[in-house]
Amino acid sequence: MTFNLLANAANIVFICVIVALLVAFFVWSFISNKKKQKNFNDTINAVKPGSKVKTIGGVCGEVVEIDDEENTFVLKTGTSDGSGVSYLKFDKQAIYQTDAKPEPKAEEPVKEEKSAKEEKAEEPFEEGKTEEKPAEAPAEEKDEKKE
């Protein structure tokens, strides 16, 4: 009878461990996907005229114009010598690859509160008021004086 209780307890623990691992996997997957989506959106928003783009349909070219209201861009395709140039309008979500890099966000400097000692040390010296400490003689000179 005690063997059955131990076997049931082991099964319950095993099931709890499996459920915990599954929950951890789904949470990690969700966070990872959110991060990838945010990076992709930042890259798409960094596209500006002059950026090289490849669409999900395989069309490669250079961005000529961006319309943020319609969420579209105009892509110039063709050869580099100028012959056979065409302009195509795409939705921004059609971007598959680009050479545009999102600008790093500037972090605001954190203001630290200064202690009274630090504030005192940073006060400028007043004119005519200097405190000088006597210079100590090097260790070799001290030994010579004692002898």
Side-chain angles (χ1 to χ4, degrees), residues 44-57:
I44 286 177
N45 291 333
V47 172
K48 56 186 176 238
S51 299
K52 305 273 189 223
V53 169
K54 180 178 183 180
T55 67
I56 56 176

Side-chain angles (χ1 to χ4, degrees):
M1 182 165 159
T2 57
F3 180 72
N4 287 337
L5 289 175
L6 289 175
N8 287 339
N11 286 339
I12 291 172
V13 170
F14 180 72
I15 291 171
C16 288
V17 168
I18 295 296
V19 169
L21 288 174
L22 286 173
V23 168
F25 173 74
F26 283 120
V27 168
W28 174 75
S29 177
F30 178 75
I31 291 171
S32 177
N33 285 340
K34 280 288 229 188
K35 187 176 179 182
K36 284 180 185 177
Q37 185 66 34
K38 183 183 178 299
N39 288 340
F40 181 71
N41 287 340
D42 289 345
T43 303
I44 286 177
N45 291 333
V47 172
K48 56 186 176 238
S51 299
K52 305 273 189 223
V53 169
K54 180 178 183 180
T55 67
I56 56 176
V59 179
C60 298
E62 184 178 329
V63 176
V64 177
E65 178 184 331
I66 295 177
D67 187 0
D68 287 328
E69 291 178 7
E70 291 183 14
N71 204 26
T72 60
F73 66 98
V74 176
L75 191 66
K76 175 182 161 187
T77 62
T79 59
S80 60
D81 63 358
S83 63
V85 175
S86 62
Y87 295 91
L88 303 168
K89 188 173 187 177
F90 289 98
D91 189 59
K92 278 187 175 182
Q93 296 301 317
I95 296 173
Y96 178 67
Q97 289 178 332
T98 181
D99 65 347
K101 303 259 191 263
E103 294 179 11
K105 295 180 181 177
E107 295 180 13
E108 295 180 16
V110 178
K111 294 182 180 179
E112 297 178 9
E113 293 184 19
K114 298 177 183 176
S115 66
K117 288 182 181 179
E118 290 175 348
E119 286 179 2
K120 228 179 197 182
E122 290 182 8
E123 290 179 6
F125 294 107
E126 295 178 20
E127 285 187 35
K129 190 176 184 182
T130 59
E131 291 183 27
E132 293 183 15
K133 294 182 181 178
E136 293 184 20
E140 293 176 5
E141 290 179 16
K142 285 183 182 179
D143 291 339
E144 290 176 3
K145 289 181 182 178
K146 288 182 182 177
E147 294 177 359

